[in-house]
Structures are given as C-alpha cells and as structure tokens.
C-alpha cells in the first residue's frame, strides 16, 4: 500500500539544520523500496513523502523516524492513498 505524509514546516531554522539528515533518510528508504516519491512544495512551507508499506503502522514508524519529524521541525499528517489506475478507459 501507499501512504502519503504531509510535512508542513513549523520551525524553519530547525528544519534547515536537520534537512541534510532528512534527505539522507529518504534516500536510504528509497533504496530499500520504502519511498515511492518525495519532494518539497513550491511555496517552501513543507513537503510530501509517499511511503510504500505493508500497513499504516509501518508507514507511521517510517514517517515518525524522519529526522524533521523526530526533531520537531515539521508536523506529520499521514494518510493511506489509493491512486487511480489511469487511463480509466
């Protein structure tokens, strides 16, 4: 299953400090096939990560271990996602 993590920044200074660890963490998970996609919003107010996980609990553990969440630079909203298979016809 896919799980979408919305990560709004709540502390810009702390976010800048832990961002390198955040990027390394996501890169490592991508190599393990646990991250499908990730990236910042163009307004620079946060970003989004799409996790591949077998359960919401696994996805939550992955998302909460992200340094920007664990250190309190960003909040986390995690939702299960069921993408459409396009084209429909």
């Amino acid at each position: 299953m896919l799980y979408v993590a919305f990560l709004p920044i709540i502390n810009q200074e702390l976010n800048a400090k832990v961002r390198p660890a955040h990027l390394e963490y996501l890169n490592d998970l991508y190599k393990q096939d646990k991250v499908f996609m990730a990236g910042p919003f163009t307004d620079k107010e946060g970003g989004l990560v799409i996790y591949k996980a077998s359960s919401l609990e696994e996805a939550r553990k992955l998302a909460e271990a992200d340094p920007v969440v664990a250190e309190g630079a960003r909040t986390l909203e995690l939702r299960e996602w069921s993408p459409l298979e396009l084209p429909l016809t």
Side-chain angles (χ1 to χ4, degrees):
M1 292 298 303
L2 297 174
Y3 299 87
V4 177
F6 296 93
L7 301 169
I9 297 170
I10 57 173
N11 183 324
Q12 288 284 357
E13 185 177 316
L14 182 56
N15 184 71
K17 180 180 174 185
V18 297
R19 188 170 185 270
H22 162 70
L23 295 176
E24 182 178 337
Y25 179 74
L26 293 180
N27 193 53
D28 288 345
L29 289 180
Y30 180 82
K31 290 176 183 177
Q32 297 171 45
D33 200 34
K34 293 292 184 181
V35 167
F36 175 67
M37 268 186 161
F41 296 125
T42 58
D43 65 5
K44 311 251 190 256
E45 295 296 322
L48 178 139
V49 178
I50 302 175
Y51 291 98
K52 295 180 189 178
S54 59
S55 67
L56 179 60
E57 294 77 22
E58 179 189 6
R60 185 166 307 284
K61 285 181 184 178
L62 294 172
E64 289 176 347
D66 185 329
V68 293
V69 175
E71 296 292 327
R74 301 187 189 195
T75 60
L76 168 67
E77 179 186 345
L78 186 65
R79 311 270 308 265
E80 186 173 341
W81 185 46
S82 180
L84 293 175
E85 295 198 22
L86 298 170
L88 297 175
T89 58

